[in-house]
Amino acid sequence: MTTTTSPVPEQVPESEGPADSAAAVRPARLIHTESTTEIPVHLLFRDDPVPTPVPAAVKLRPAVVARRPDGGPDGRTAGARARPAGPGVDPALVERPARVLPGIAGVLAGVCGAAGCAATAWWAGVLPPLAAEALGLSDRAGALGPAQWGAFAGAGALGLFGFGGLARGRTGRAWVLGLFGRYRGTVRRTGLLWVNPLLLRRRVDVRLRHWRGEPMPAADHSGVALRVVMLVVWRVRDTARATLGLEDHEGYLRACVEAALLRVPVAAPGAGRGAVQATQDALTRLVAADAGPVGVEVFAVRPLRVEYAPEVAAAMHRRRIAALDAQHRASVLSSVVDSVEDTVTRLTMRGLVNLDDYERKVLVKDLTVAFCAGRGENGA
């Protein structure tokens, strides 16, 4: 069964004959663009639900769906569009101090281990006679048994751990410690220290550093190609992320500078101090935002030398020469015209010649050619 989506008029004229029965069943179309849709038969014979009365005390309010500024009614669109500002770095990879001991502890452990080895050798009777005489001990004869071997192993391990873990910490340098590929902390202390000799040490320079790069491609506000030499002042702030989160943090910093030069227009050569300062601030802000999440702190990104690209410089040189040549030609022509006009005017005013228009034109032409030839010979 089908029905129409157009409204049915309230009053339908009664049919007078069988010819009008079809018209009584389906009224005339009120909207010519109406369409029909099928309705299941079981829905036509179901009982109408009884409407539930609403208490008068309940105040109905229109349902409003709150929209977020990003255009989505819920947080799904916002979550899909949200992107991290910097490169993805493991949030658990953060610098923390490592557990180290003063160097005196390692020295004492090493001395105790060496003394234990000497005492075990005397106990086992394998101490050399010269060493026994030097230590004031009586010579004993014997052999190494299981107890002596165990004492030797313990004393030797203590000596090796004591002397093998000694390290010297220097100002401006740090050690990143790791054990079986796991980060165990960073050592920034100075002086004689004892570090577990089983830990892998990676030395990192945490001093304020700078590098002057090679000429890099850039562009000014008009899109003209430039070559820029940059000076970057930086230091390692988080040794764990700079060392373990990246393969080469210095190479990454150079890549960040190159990417910033492609996004920021550089002040052209000869620009004012304000334009140069604005370029420096924009470059510093972009590079610091890219390098900050990986533990590198950027203080300044300054253009040291800005020059046009070789092909642009050659084109500008040719244009400059052409402009100078045109200016020279214009000045020469102006001086020749002034000379010809002054000559003709003097001849006419003094009555030396009486010329008509044709003769005047011929005289002007001859004088112009003569003056131009003379200027050319003098210039050559």
Side-chain angles (χ1 to χ4, degrees), residues 338-358:
D338 292 342
S339 300
V340 171
E341 182 182 5
D342 184 57
T343 302
V344 174
T345 302
R346 287 185 178 185
L347 292 174
T348 304
M349 292 181 62
R350 294 182 181 181
L352 298 177
V353 292
N354 189 9
L355 304 174
D356 56 6
D357 293 340
Y358 178 75

Side-chain angles (χ1 to χ4, degrees), residues 10 24 26 55 143 155 183 194 197 202 207 210 216 220 224 238 252 278 292 341 345 355 357 373 378:
E10 297 181 357
R26 177 178 176 83
Y183 174 62
W194 184 86
R202 301 180 64 176
R207 295 174 295 181
H210 72 279
M216 299 180 182
D220 61 359
V224 179
D238 193 317
Y252 177 76
E341 182 182 5
T345 302
L355 304 174
D357 293 340
N378 294 334

